[in-house]
Amino acid sequence: MTRQVVFSPSGRRGAFPEGTTVLDAARALGVDLDSVCGGRGICGRCQVVMGSRPGVEARPDRLSEPGPTETDYQGRRPLGAGHRLGCAARIVEDVVIDVPADSQVHRQVVRKRAGVAALPVDPVVRLHYVEVPEPDLASPTGDLERLLAALEQEWGLSRLVVDPPVLTDLQTTLRSGNWAVTVAVRHARDLIGIWPGFRDVALGVAFDVGSTTIAGHLCDLLTGSVLATSGVMNPQIGFGEDLMSRVSYVMMNDDGATRLTDVVRGALDDLLGELITEAGVDRGDVLELSVVGNPIMHHLLLGLDPRELGTAPFALVTTSALDTPAIDLGLQVHRGARVYSLPCIAGHVGADAAGVVLSEGPHRGERLQLLVDVGTNAELVLGNQDRLLAASSPTGPAFEGAQISSGQRAAPGAIERVRVDRATLEPRFSVIGQELWSDEPGFDFGAVTGVCGSGIIEAIAELHLAGVIDTDGVIRQPANPSSRVVASDRTFSYVLCAEPLVEVTQNDVRAVQLAKAALHAGARLLMDHYGVDQVDEIRLAGAFGSHIDPKYAMVLGMIPDCDLDRVSAAGNAAGVGAMMALLSGVARSEIEEVTNQIEKVETAVEPRFQEHFVAALAIPHKTNPYPLLSKVVDMPPRPEPGERRRRHPR
Amino acid sequence: MTRQVVFSPSGRRGAFPEGTTVLDAARALGVDLDSVCGGRGICGRCQVVMGSRPGVEARPDRLSEPGPTETDYQGRRPLGAGHRLGCAARIVEDVVIDVPADSQVHRQVVRKRAGVAALPVDPVVRLHYVEVPEPDLASPTGDLERLLAALEQEWGLSRLVVDPPVLTDLQTTLRSGNWAVTVAVRHARDLIGIWPGFRDVALGVAFDVGSTTIAGHLCDLLTGSVLATSGVMNPQIGFGEDLMSRVSYVMMNDDGATRLTDVVRGALDDLLGELITEAGVDRGDVLELSVVGNPIMHHLLLGLDPRELGTAPFALVTTSALDTPAIDLGLQVHRGARVYSLPCIAGHVGADAAGVVLSEGPHRGERLQLLVDVGTNAELVLGNQDRLLAASSPTGPAFEGAQISSGQRAAPGAIERVRVDRATLEPRFSVIGQELWSDEPGFDFGAVTGVCGSGIIEAIAELHLAGVIDTDGVIRQPANPSSRVVASDRTFSYVLCAEPLVEVTQNDVRAVQLAKAALHAGARLLMDHYGVDQVDEIRLAGAFGSHIDPKYAMVLGMIPDCDLDRVSAAGNAAGVGAMMALLSGVARSEIEEVTNQIEKVETAVEPRFQEHFVAALAIPHKTNPYPLLSKVVDMPPRPEPGERRRRHPR
């Protein structure tokens, strides 16, 4: 007697003999229903719910009554109310079976984080429980051959390539598991781990290796949940604050690349230790890792000499995504674990930019997005589902606080927020590490150490809005002279903080102008290539993107004019991209394909870049060319022609 | 204007525009014509000769006149008389082109060694010269991607997997080679090495890891020639003379397996050093290795615990052929080199037996061959092209000189050849390390240390032929008493050497009887399974097979009756098999397939084995059952029934 079964949400249907298990029916129809234990009622991953459709209402007796497998079920994943184990429940009548998202192999996990879409979870490493026939004098096959035959028969896994350590452990594991083992298989191809008995623990770590900080996220590969997140300083800072000084270190020291590689690997392993401790899990359960980073960080981590990235034509060793044994990177995790590094896009547009693209997904929609990731170089991506373009722009390290008279990295003591009173020109500011603003009682001026990138940007933008800095970037003594504006050589400076002295000098303004003009020109160049004058949305990625106020970025003209409410921080988009790649094989294929198709625009060989650069040196003003910004910010007027000549103090 | 071109020996033909190079025509037709440099006149591997057929005689002007590429050619492989470079010679008229064997990728190399057929040479590692476009600011691709594109375009190699060290070296190699490099590609799949410029050196080493000695052969992978051969003692002897005592060592010591693994790997690397020095080449040029060994040697070398091989059901970790990175086995060769271990057949029939099968090739002909490889266990293979059967027989270590009163390993001082005067019963013998026989003036009796396996076999066989040992294996005082036969407890012994005393005791005879009965019974069991009473040929492999005289092996009844001139030593057949696997991918596929199809017969579960064993304890005699042997050897008659009771001295 056959019964009709319909699965939802897939809609797949078929007729099966009465008594067929739901899991067997699902497998026969190719329905995406998870299982680690292979239908032995151990793992609880094949939970289903009875559904209904016209004529086939949800009636308990459409499935067999729960037997001991279900009533005594004690697995790690609790059996939900109204849930049945697909491997135990048998079809008795025509029935509709709902497969909840949690029971699908390829599923979506929704993060409770603004702006991050549902993450697909379909890790490249999967666990499979299998029972292996014992060896027999009469048919002398190897233990491995019997294991592989069982994996092929039960899981359809064929032609597996076996990691050597699995071979080493094979015999003792089979025997200590009494001929039942769980194996980890990567990409349905590589047998990377084996454990006695049933096991359903598989962890992964996603790393975002920045030149200043390294962030790590420890995830459960089975559920997609984040178990711990942490960060450490990149110890390469000891060899050079910014990227180019690290490349110089490599060029000037024979063992430079090796030392930079060693310290960053050590930092990753330390960070891994923190994550493991925080989550209370074992290093040996980490079976897969992923990593993003700019090209230089990417190369140094993988042990590739970054020297070529220091000079034109900035040739990467490879742009491809790589799988590297974790042990080769000095990471103490499961010895079969691999580290997936996302592809690089071009010489200055790295795996971090690929991570941002994967996370933000401009290629998944119609809106024309501009993604901006600011560092020593700004990495820029523009496009939508039709086309993607990428470029890097040589902003220099001014946005990181370098080349600024009182500049410093974004660290405790750095001025990061600035407001200037439009009438009195008195400043107030806040520093990293203190809750109070400088005009509030109890503010500790002794803790002020300098000004970081976001601080100098706000200061210059506020001074522009207050009329102290004109559209050409000249610091001028206002009509009503202020003691804050002081002459210095043939220029003026603005005293942001008197004790300790933190000034905004004319050179500081020039440095920021050069940096922001480069950023702006890069974006304009991409817009030219795309053939547009305006973008629908701007997303500012990375730590810098999170720190700066989009309004001030636009007041300065760092980025093209845009509706201010369509300009936002993307947070740690590169890190989210690394996490997506960690959790999903589909995401990896997606970013590899997208990266291949991105059109690379090299600013250095584009004459228009220079034109845009020169045009972008000025600070935008009320009448031209930032009409969208001018609607919401009271931009100072264009100076009168006569005024423009009084550049220097008399 | 098109011209007809016929290639021989392939017979492939086609029409090509006048001016096409011979190499291009060959490639277009899929003719097997070698090239490392890709047609740049550097490597000299595409040499061809003009041939003829009716109507198309060999006339020089059928090809273009030699230009500077040929007249100035200075490559490593000299241009033979009348030879043309296929990449330079252009087709002018209809022409017949002979491709000499040396210019084929898949070729046969004939060894000047009796009994070894032509070896196919088609190594799994091949070298490819390629020129790579330089990086360019306007199209920022990785150096690797440009290399891979060039390899695909020029050599048709796609989807190559790149070894991490190749990535590390990539940029400096491309630049130091001025954008021309030679790469080594394994199985047309793995990019394992890269060198600047053109290069055509690729070496390989085949190892035969015996429990007593380890032999190594250093070969040129491009030509198939042997550059050096050497051997060392297996230092595991320090942990146990025979295999079972080494397994016992592992069972009794926690770090036993590790120590045995370490010493054998060390010995292999030392041997490698010797081979390298002898041939005057570099370790870094060794790109591929192969290894055979019995299951326990195989497991220990690969770092696999051999414990399970010590007790029933003798489960191997794996029977499959394996590719292991040479670096994982502690071998200091090119860091991309892999070690190919031949497949194992069953728990006691190892990769050494697979090597013997590959070398002897019973599956390649009609003759029914019995292959015998004697060690602590005898590995036996019986069959022909229709069917192959394998078994191991528990001979114990008597054939290796153990369990014998004066027994010792085959080493200097061991008696290895014995003759007994039929009338006087006086012995004469020779020892390993001395040219003289013991009855020749100047023989040094002081150097005699014992008797080895072949010595005890000859002694017992000669004593049987002399009437001192009867068909039941009883040492008897002959009718005409001899001072050489002495009473000892309740049995007789034969004094082989008086000073130092080397005797053949009754227990010695019993030990050899048990061993030879096991060997014989194993062979009989295979013959039963095959359904035959007689074999066409018997090949005795390995060191023991080379030392024993087939006549004495048959007098004792170690092996089934056979035409004596069809019984011969196979020499180091396992080592030759390793060499074949080293040089040929086709040979690897062949032995993997054959090994899969071999029918394994387990003596321990076959009741008939016990029957054969009991029946084989007796020493054959004139009337029954060795008619073929009796034609050439004067076997003693079956004793009278009455005589058979006088077993013990009175």
Side-chain angles (χ1 to χ4, degrees), chain B residues 447-472:
Chain B
V448 175
T449 54
V451 60
C452 68
S454 62
I456 194 73
I457 284 168
E458 293 208 358
I460 294 172
E462 280 279 308
L463 289 170
H464 175 61
L465 294 174
V468 176
I469 295 178
D470 70 17
T471 57
D472 286 336

Side-chain angles (χ1 to χ4, degrees), chain A residues 262-532:
Chain A
D262 287 349
V263 298
V264 73
R265 290 180 178 175
L268 253 65
D269 197 54
D270 291 347
L271 178 54
L272 194 71
E274 277 182 37
L275 294 168
I276 290 294
T277 306
E278 187 184 329
V281 294
D282 289 327
R283 279 177 175 265
D285 290 331
V286 175
L287 307 183
E288 180 76 11
L289 304 96
S290 68
V291 64
V292 296
N294 63 54
I296 290 167
M297 292 299 101
H298 169 275
H299 274 42
L300 283 170
L301 175 63
L302 295 176
L304 305 175
D305 196 307
R307 223 169 290 230
E308 293 296 331
L309 296 172
T311 48
F314 313 111
L316 287 153
V317 173
T318 177
T319 54
S320 302
L322 298 175
D323 287 321
T324 311
I327 205 168
D328 287 2
L329 303 188
L331 300 176
Q332 296 167 57
V333 290
H334 187 275
R335 55 190 174 171
R338 267 76 158 175
V339 181
Y340 174 83
S341 47
L342 276 76
C344 289
I345 297 170
H348 288 305
V349 191
D352 50 351
V356 172
V357 169
L358 181 58
S359 164
E360 293 293 306
H363 55 285
R364 292 191 286 262
E366 286 179 13
R367 277 177 314 174
L368 190 64
Q369 275 192 331
L370 175 66
L371 309 178
V372 179
D373 196 351
V374 170
T376 303
N377 290 286
E379 301 183 347
L380 298 162
V381 177
L382 174 73
N384 59 9
Q385 62 194 14
D386 300 326
R387 223 178 137 188
L388 278 185
L389 299 140
S392 78
S393 215
T395 51
F399 292 149
E400 295 179 324
Q403 299 180 352
I404 301 296
S405 59
S406 298
Q408 69 159 86
R409 189 153 32 83
I415 295 173
E416 60 164 350
R417 291 262 169 276
V418 177
R419 297 292 178 271
V420 175
D421 187 279
R422 303 285 186 272
T424 65
L425 303 188
E426 282 303 300
R428 56 191 202 96
F429 54 81
S430 69
V431 300
I432 299 175
Q434 277 196 66
E435 291 282 318
L436 299 171
W437 280 72
S438 60
D439 57 350
E440 293 178 298
F443 180 83
D444 178 13
F445 281 90
V448 175
T449 54
V451 60
C452 68
S454 63
I456 194 73
I457 284 168
E458 293 208 357
I460 294 172
E462 279 280 308
L463 288 170
H464 176 59
L465 294 174
V468 176
I469 294 177
D470 70 16
T471 57
D472 287 335
V474 180
I475 303 178
R476 294 145 44 108
Q477 186 62 276
N480 185 12
S482 160
S483 61
R484 288 275 166 184
V485 180
V486 297
S488 150
D489 194 13
R490 289 160 49 84
T491 61
F492 287 108
S493 293
Y494 176 81
V495 179
L496 186 53
C497 178
E499 184 56 38
L501 181 65
V502 177
E503 291 183 305
V504 178
T505 68
Q506 186 61 57
N507 277 342
D508 295 345
V509 181
R510 292 291 176 234
V512 169
Q513 276 181 287
L514 291 172
K516 76 102 185 175
L519 177 53
H520 186 110
R524 286 293 322 176
L525 189 65
L526 290 184
M527 291 161 73
D528 287 352
H529 275 264
Y530 199 100
V532 291

